[in-house]
Amino acid sequence: MGCDYNPEQWPERVWAQDVVLMREAGITFATVGVFAWALLEPEQGRFEFGWLDRAMDLLAEGGIAVNLATATASPPPWLSRRYPQTLPVDREGRTLWPGGRQAWCPSSPVFRERAMSLVEAMATRYAEHPALAMWHVSNELGCHNGRCYCDVSAAAFQTWLRARYGDLDTLNEVWATSFWSQRYGDWAQILPPRLAPTHPNPTQSLDFARFSSDALLEYYLAERDLLRRITPDVPVTTNFMTLAHFSMLDYWRFAPEQDVISTDHYLVHIDQPTENAVRSELAFSGDLTRSLAGGGPWFLMEHSTSAVNWQPVNRAKAPGELLRTSLGHVARGADAVGYFQWRAGRAGAEKFHSGLVPHAGTDTKVWREVVQLGGILRRSTDLAGTRVHSQVGLLFDWPSRWACDLDSHPSSLVRAMDAPLALHGALWRQAVTVDPVAPTADLSAYRLLVVPTLYLVEDAAAATLHEYVAAGGHVVITYFSGIVDQNDHIRLGGYPGAFRDLLGIRTEEFFPLDSGQVVTVQPAASGPGTEAAWTRSTWTGSLWTELTHLDGATAVARYVDGPLPGQPALTRHAHGRGVAWYLGTALDDAALSTVLGRVCRDAGVQPVASVPAGVEVVRRSGDGRSFLFVLNHTPEPVRVEAHGHDLVTDTPVTGAVRIAAGGCAIIREGLVSTGSGGAGQG
Ligand SMILES: [Zn+2]
């Protein structure tokens, strides 16, 4: 367990007490120096390391490992004063000035040069320091400067496009510049998609998103390679933000370049209809981070003990929620949990962000729960290295997400993250663990794949999915998938172009629904894929409908009303030795659970355990060890069948464990599961 530690914001006389309290809480690592550039290099080329030396020495003496930031996340005021060309510019041409954080252009060679000078000085200074355990490059790359539209970035974008397309004719073809008189005659004419009179060229916007992600990747690699030269044995990470609402970087491209996958996660209450949606987003993020780590352990670098400061209303965590949130990440593969930050700040923009030591001190709910968590984690060290084994994959891709969320689409209400969260959430409610996977990944380990709103699909990924189903795999594809190729060009001949044959359908026209509009969906009474119990229920759809013709598939459910009464809403198609389902609308949660429950049974996918509604279960196992995590999100106590030892209460469990309202358990299982229970694969 660890935390961000900013000793430079506190008088030195409290540092010794910090270390004593850290040890009491069970803190074993501290992330230091994230925003310390202005103090470490008060003027160009003059370094002041004395204070950091003393803080690092204290931590080393206290047995606390340091995840040392390279301190390049926020440049000091002298830098932008002297080199104003390093400041980022937004799409409306406004300069983003110093005074906040991360005011730097990712493509700026001047910024790069100054940052590398600091990194070299840091790495040389602390290479042999006993506290140094890991390097932390920059911080939350792209959080505030993920897209820069300045002239320096424009030139870098032109260079990136030359490397991608080789010649202007190819670019003009890919960008479809015969439309609206956009044909380019010289690379220098090409700009980032700055504020325009109307809709910008979509392929230009998509390529700019790709370029912007690559610009920060290139920046990261520059820091990483320098660190590796000076300290080849020290692992390097940069903290991702695998939150559903952050989309700037293609983490599939970043992940292979990291020695340790780390991420930050905060509960986001903005636009979330229910508390359950907030919790299931955490599960999605944890699963995504695990997939980025190749299924192996990962590092939760930051989360919060309670409220944050950056939402309209910053909700404090209920008693017990700190524990449930932290263990939710551990359940999904985190082998380390870190917090932002040690002491809640006295001043600055984050002064109302919770810390491990609240403003009110240690006689507090937060501190007691921190100490409790530290004790649980100390008892749980043999969790390290165990893995979550999923039978279900969820295809997830950043370029598709970027392209889906561009404008001029059939419905601006269709957002790229809605269907992934809805389908993942429906499986989460049924205690089925899911691996988000890149569309080009090896899919053969999964019994079922879900493909939620994968708007953009490359040919290779479409072929992989066809082969997967032909070989006996099961797949569920939802509305607005397989529509365009990697250039955001429509796949002609009827939707969904990439998956028409696989699904045995052909859609001729979209009929998106208005905000709040709901249609009735009636499951078929009999036939392949139907269940007798379905006919007693009525489902509802929202957001989207489409006029779909059957071309080998069977209609499992049809619209009763709305724009397309009598037309198919859910279809099923036997393809090769497998089965492909298509869902043409956004089903209500209950109906989606019903459908996915049926699909899972078809595919032979087992839940981790049988548990009451509102109870989350995940299993980690490996090397003969098995741990069942049970998180009770309900306001009532629950009983769950288990045998072993509960690491939360440190008591034996024989037959069943009772978990208090809002409580959790980690059962070190006495009998290692071999068949059902989700541990069967891998
Ligand atoms: Zn720029």
Side-chain angles (χ1 to χ4, degrees):
M1 184 164 82
C3 58
D4 274 43
Y5 180 43
N6 299 302
E8 69 274 23
Q9 296 172 16
W10 296 88
E12 274 198 51
R13 60 188 152 76
V14 306
W15 295 3
Q17 190 208 12
D18 286 338
V19 175
V20 170
L21 284 174
M22 283 181 189
R23 290 177 62 88
E24 182 186 327
I27 295 292
T28 56
F29 78 88
T31 301
V32 178
V34 173
F35 293 109
W37 189 346
L39 294 181
L40 291 168
E41 190 182 6
E43 57 184 313
Q44 185 172 329
R46 183 170 68 78
F47 296 99
E48 285 188 1
F49 288 118
W51 66 270
L52 184 55
D53 292 350
R54 294 192 292 280
M56 294 275 287
D57 291 349
L58 262 177
L59 291 163
E61 286 160 23
I64 293 163
V66 170
N67 169 39
L68 185 57
T70 56
T72 54
S74 261
W78 61 255
L79 195 148
S80 46
R81 172 82 183 160
R82 186 160 170 181
Y83 308 106
Q85 70 271 38
T86 61
L87 290 171
V89 174
D90 75 1
R91 67 184 288 272
E92 296 180 26
R94 299 175 300 192
T95 298
L96 306 179
W97 295 97
R101 69 179 211 182
Q102 280 174 307
W104 54 279
C105 163
S107 298
S108 167
V110 178
F111 176 83
R112 174 90 59 97
E113 190 185 302
R114 295 323 322 149
M116 292 308 134
S117 160
L118 175 64
V119 173
E120 185 167 9
M122 291 283 285
T124 307
R125 180 83 176 187
Y126 296 104
E128 303 299 328
H129 197 282
L132 177 66
M134 182 154 71
W135 287 112
H136 178 106
V137 168
S138 193
N139 188 65
E140 296 183 340
L141 284 167
C143 184
H144 306 291
N145 60 349
R147 307 265 192 278
C148 178
Y149 298 78
C150 78
D151 290 341
V152 172
S153 291
F157 185 37
Q158 291 157 11
T159 303
W160 183 92
L161 290 166
R162 273 177 189 256
R164 184 175 175 90
Y165 296 117
D167 60 76
L168 271 178
D169 285 347
T170 306
L171 177 132
N172 278 308
E173 176 67 26
V174 168
W175 283 20
T177 54
S178 50
F179 178 80
W180 278 355
S181 182
Q182 292 173 355
R183 188 169 183 84
Y184 294 101
D186 189 318
W187 293 99
Q189 296 163 359
I190 302 173
L191 294 172
R194 292 173 176 165
L195 183 65
T198 184
H199 311 290
N201 181 309
T203 314
Q204 176 194 17
S205 295
L206 174 60
D207 272 347
F208 188 66
R210 289 180 170 125
F211 153 78
S212 299
S213 176
D214 280 0
L216 282 164
L217 176 58
E218 193 189 302
Y219 176 82
Y220 163 75
L221 291 174
E223 279 208 29
R224 185 204 65 180
D225 292 348
L226 178 54
L227 292 165
R228 280 188 177 171
R229 268 206 300 285
I230 301 169
T231 56
D233 299 324
V234 180
V236 181
T237 192
T238 189
N239 47 343
F240 291 164
M241 296 197 294
T242 50
L243 302 139
H245 77 281
F246 179 79
S247 66
M248 289 289 166
L249 304 182
D250 183 348
Y251 288 138
W252 293 130
R253 287 168 63 77
F254 274 72
E257 309 295 347
Q258 296 243 57
D259 294 328
V260 176
I261 296 293
S262 65
T263 197
D264 297 354
H265 187 269
Y266 294 95
L267 298 177
V268 178
H269 297 270
I270 306 163
D271 294 335
Q272 292 286 12
T274 62
E275 277 301 304
N276 243 6
V278 174
R279 291 174 193 126
S280 99
E281 189 279 332
L282 183 154
F284 179 89
S285 168
D287 287 342
L288 177 56
T289 311
R290 181 181 67 251
S291 291
L292 289 163
W298 52 277
F299 203 117
L300 178 65
M301 191 64 78
E302 295 180 20
H303 66 320
S304 69
T305 57
S306 192
V308 299
N309 64 290
W310 43 268
Q311 297 179 30
V313 174
N314 293 293
R315 224 210 58 183
K317 288 186 180 173
E321 195 175 353
L322 179 155
L323 194 60
R324 208 153 24 96
T325 311
S326 300
L327 294 185
H329 292 287
V330 177
R332 290 174 192 277
D335 268 6
V337 290
Y339 287 97
F340 180 84
Q341 63 175 331
W342 170 242
R343 285 182 189 272
R346 286 179 305 184
E350 292 182 314
K351 61 183 175 295
F352 289 113
H353 192 295
S354 57
L356 281 82
V357 182
H359 293 149
T362 53
D363 184 12
T364 48
K365 172 203 77 169
V366 164
W367 179 254
R368 283 186 284 275
E369 294 193 11
V370 164
V371 173
Q372 183 196 10
L373 175 64
I376 293 165
L377 294 177
R378 265 196 298 266
R379 281 197 286 280
S380 309
T381 49
D382 57 345
L383 264 170
T386 57
R387 289 179 170 230
V388 176
H389 301 285
S390 305
Q391 299 175 325
V392 181
L394 182 152
L395 296 200
F396 186 78
D397 190 37
W398 275 274
S400 176
R401 183 176 176 182
W402 296 328
C404 182
D405 284 342
L406 294 174
D407 64 10
S408 299
H409 280 185
S411 171
S412 62
L413 301 178
V414 173
R415 307 302 295 167
M417 280 310 295
D418 290 348
L421 288 173
L423 270 74
H424 184 277
L427 292 161
W428 175 78
R429 288 193 295 275
Q430 298 174 65
V432 172
T433 42
V434 177
D435 290 344
V437 284
T440 48
D442 176 10
L443 307 172
S444 57
Y446 299 105
R447 289 170 189 249
L448 171 65
L449 288 174
V450 293
V451 184
T453 310
L454 194 69
Y455 164 73
L456 177 155
V457 181
E458 299 196 8
D459 293 347
T464 302
L465 201 61
H466 275 80
E467 288 160 18
Y468 167 81
V469 178
H474 291 234
V475 66
V476 180
I477 299 174
T478 79
Y479 60 91
F480 216 42
S481 292
I483 305 300
V484 298
D485 64 13
Q486 72 270 18
N487 299 325
D488 200 18
H489 293 201
I490 299 286
R491 293 178 176 279
L492 300 175
Y495 316 116
F499 304 128
R500 224 167 34 230
D501 300 343
L502 175 64
L503 293 165
I505 58 167
R506 183 176 63 88
T507 288
E508 66 170 273
E509 194 172 3
F510 302 134
F511 289 78
L513 303 178
D514 279 333
S515 179
Q517 188 182 358
V518 169
V519 295
T520 308
V521 177
Q522 182 63 53
S526 63
T530 63
E531 291 204 333
W534 287 9
T535 55
R536 290 194 295 274
S537 59
T538 304
W539 304 340
T540 59
S542 59
L543 203 64
W544 190 266
T545 61
E546 54 186 86
L547 179 53
T548 298
H549 301 284
L550 303 174
D551 189 10
T554 307
V556 177
R558 292 178 182 272
Y559 300 108
V560 174
D561 48 24
L564 298 167
Q567 297 297 330
L570 174 67
T571 64
R572 182 182 186 277
H573 183 230
H575 175 86
R577 292 192 284 139
V579 176
W581 299 73
Y582 184 67
L583 179 57
T585 187
L587 282 182
D588 67 86
D589 280 356
L592 191 58
S593 293
T594 303
V595 169
L596 287 178
R598 170 58 211 259
V599 171
C600 282
R601 283 195 297 281
D602 244 21
V605 172
Q606 302 285 336
V608 172
S610 174
V611 288
V615 177
E616 179 175 347
V617 276
V618 189
R619 180 174 279 111
R620 290 182 60 164
S621 61
D623 294 334
R625 290 166 286 152
S626 180
F627 300 85
L628 183 70
F629 286 75
V630 189
L631 312 178
N632 179 7
H633 298 301
T634 77
E636 305 293 336
V638 295
R639 247 174 75 91
V640 172
E641 279 183 40
H643 293 273
H645 189 90
D646 180 11
L647 295 166
V648 171
T649 55
D650 202 12
T651 54
V653 175
T654 51
V657 60
R658 181 186 183 278
I659 300 160
C664 34
I666 310 171
I667 312 296
R668 186 197 280 123
E669 294 180 296
L671 298 168
V672 175
S673 170
T674 51
S676 65
Q681 292 206 346

